[in-house]
Amino acid sequence: MDDEQRGMDRRRVLSLMAMAAPAAVLTAAVAHPAEAATTWGGPVRFRPGRAMLGSYLSLRGRTLTESLALRRRQLGREQRIVHRYYPWTGYAPVSEPEVPSGAVLMVSWDGTFHKRITSGKSDRDIALMATRLAGMQRPIMLRWGWEMNGNWFDWDGAHNGRKPAGYIKSWRRMHRIFRDEGASNVAWVWGPNWNSGPDVSWNRFQRYYPGDAYVDWVGVSGYNFSKESPRTLFTPIVDAYGKRKPIVLAETAAIGHGRNTKAPWIRRLSAYVDATPSIGAVVWFDTDQQKGTSRNFRPDTDAEALAAYRKMARKSRFSG
């Protein structure tokens, strides 16, 4: 793992520690997802009844290629999505040679303070990333400014005057620049956290939604830090958007709460996806122990957990 990736991992750990704080589940109007048209998802198509399964892979002592090979041996299949984190500036690659050509690249791209975008000061950086991603000539899911309803990133509402409108304005400006630069291979993933921090009215996830014309997939981050069920973590987002957009569980993993507790949660996740037709992708946050805690996000920390994950991965529901 290079220094750039280590830096991104450290930042990700900080956000995960913040996310672990308990907060009330957000409520939304209940809606039953309808069978979606195959045109959903923009450049990364949603296939009804088939969810793509992938991961962010950062395993201690292994390159991404080596990590992909390990999971291939364990699961008997390839990763359908390979998730990478990019900083806001200073890193705009022209290719991702370790990501297999048959996989969808999902990029979580950092943001910045809203005014730097809405003022036009960041237009050149945005255009550069758009050009680089377009040049990869592969389907890409772009998750910009994720977990904007938290209070741990520069681009969240708490760090921008408690005004979600700035986030929406930033998103739409970026979307226009990508269009102008010809990045037609990029599917836009809007990805709030499962609960809001702070959990107050101005910070509800709905207040950050850029609009259907600017979003291809709706994502959500959610972990069982406090033993939450998949239904608790993901249903508010599914109910709010699942009839209009395909859903990607953009970050999730089972955190052990004692011996042999990961496997039951993985089985519940599998059953939840089975019962939720609007979910078109699941992306595991597959990395080692979180610094300063006992949390380990890997699905192979014990034989029972790996067996449950393997069984889920081999189901037809996860063959997208």
Side-chain angles (χ1 to χ4, degrees):
M1 187 186 303
D2 59 24
D3 290 339
E4 183 69 55
Q5 191 63 44
R6 288 192 185 94
M8 286 186 275
D9 282 346
R10 283 195 293 271
R11 188 168 192 176
R12 190 70 202 113
V13 164
L14 290 174
S15 75
L16 288 168
M17 291 176 73
M19 288 164 56
V25 179
L26 297 178
T27 59
V30 175
H32 299 286
E35 191 72 8
T38 56
T39 54
W40 275 18
V44 178
R45 298 303 190 193
F46 168 67
R47 296 177 59 200
R50 297 288 187 269
M52 296 179 286
L53 179 64
S55 61
Y56 165 69
L57 272 165
S58 181
L59 305 182
R60 189 177 298 114
R62 297 178 188 267
T63 65
L64 176 58
T65 298
E66 291 167 343
S67 298
L68 287 165
L70 173 63
R71 292 292 180 255
R72 187 184 309 117
R73 291 194 300 270
Q74 291 174 324
L75 304 178
R77 58 163 289 171
E78 299 283 357
Q79 299 289 316
R80 187 67 179 88
I81 296 174
V82 177
H83 186 190
R84 306 286 273 169
Y85 289 88
Y86 290 1
W88 175 243
T89 59
Y91 183 73
V94 297
S95 66
E96 284 284 3
E98 289 189 281
V99 178
S101 59
V104 172
L105 170 64
M106 186 169 87
V107 173
S108 286
W109 186 23
D110 280 4
T112 185
F113 296 106
H114 300 164
K115 286 184 178 180
R116 289 198 60 82
I117 298 176
T118 59
S119 67
K121 291 181 179 179
S122 295
D123 282 1
R124 187 170 297 180
D125 292 322
I126 297 167
L128 174 62
M129 184 63 77
T131 301
R132 293 288 174 84
L133 294 185
M136 289 188 189
Q137 298 183 347
R138 64 186 302 159
I140 295 173
M141 301 177 80
L142 178 63
R143 188 178 70 140
W144 174 77
W146 67 97
E147 296 163 19
M148 74 302 293
N149 58 326
N151 58 2
W152 44 86
F153 287 133
D154 289 348
W155 56 86
D156 62 44
H159 286 88
N160 289 272
R162 302 182 178 182
K163 296 178 180 178
Y167 180 89
I168 293 173
K169 189 175 179 181
S170 298
W171 182 286
R172 292 181 178 182
R173 186 182 189 95
M174 293 175 60
H175 192 279
R176 175 183 58 78
I177 293 172
F178 267 67
R179 181 197 63 209
D180 291 347
E181 296 297 329
S184 58
N185 60 317
V186 172
W188 289 78
V189 180
W190 177 73
N193 195 48
W194 76 276
N195 58 1
S196 292
D199 183 19
V200 292
S201 61
W202 67 262
N203 200 37
R204 299 288 191 263
F205 63 77
Q206 296 94 333
R207 294 186 179 274
Y208 294 89
Y209 188 61
D212 287 351
Y214 300 90
V215 174
D216 296 303
W217 289 73
V218 168
V220 57
S221 303
Y223 302 82
N224 65 330
F225 287 131
S226 299
K227 301 183 180 181
E228 297 91 348
S229 69
R231 182 173 298 278
T232 295
L233 294 173
F234 307 127
T235 296
I237 292 291
V238 168
D239 283 352
Y241 300 103
K243 291 185 72 174
R244 296 147 58 189
K245 298 291 177 180
I247 306 297
V248 49
L249 311 187
E251 283 189 31
T252 192
I255 308 302
H257 294 279
R259 186 177 179 182
N260 295 329
T261 55
K262 280 191 177 184
W265 195 89
I266 294 171
R267 289 192 286 267
R268 286 195 290 271
L269 175 66
S270 179
Y272 180 76
V273 175
D274 281 345
T276 312
S278 60
I279 294 176
V282 176
V283 185
W284 199 266
F285 190 74
D286 191 348
T287 189
D288 298 287
Q289 186 169 319
Q290 183 180 344
K291 187 177 180 180
T293 77
S294 61
R295 298 189 187 108
N296 189 302
F297 298 86
R298 294 175 60 153
D300 61 348
T301 50
D302 63 78
E304 186 180 2
L306 178 57
Y309 193 75
R310 183 189 300 117
K311 183 176 180 179
M312 180 179 75
R314 293 179 176 180
K315 292 172 67 172
S316 62
R317 178 70 175 94
F318 290 86
S319 63

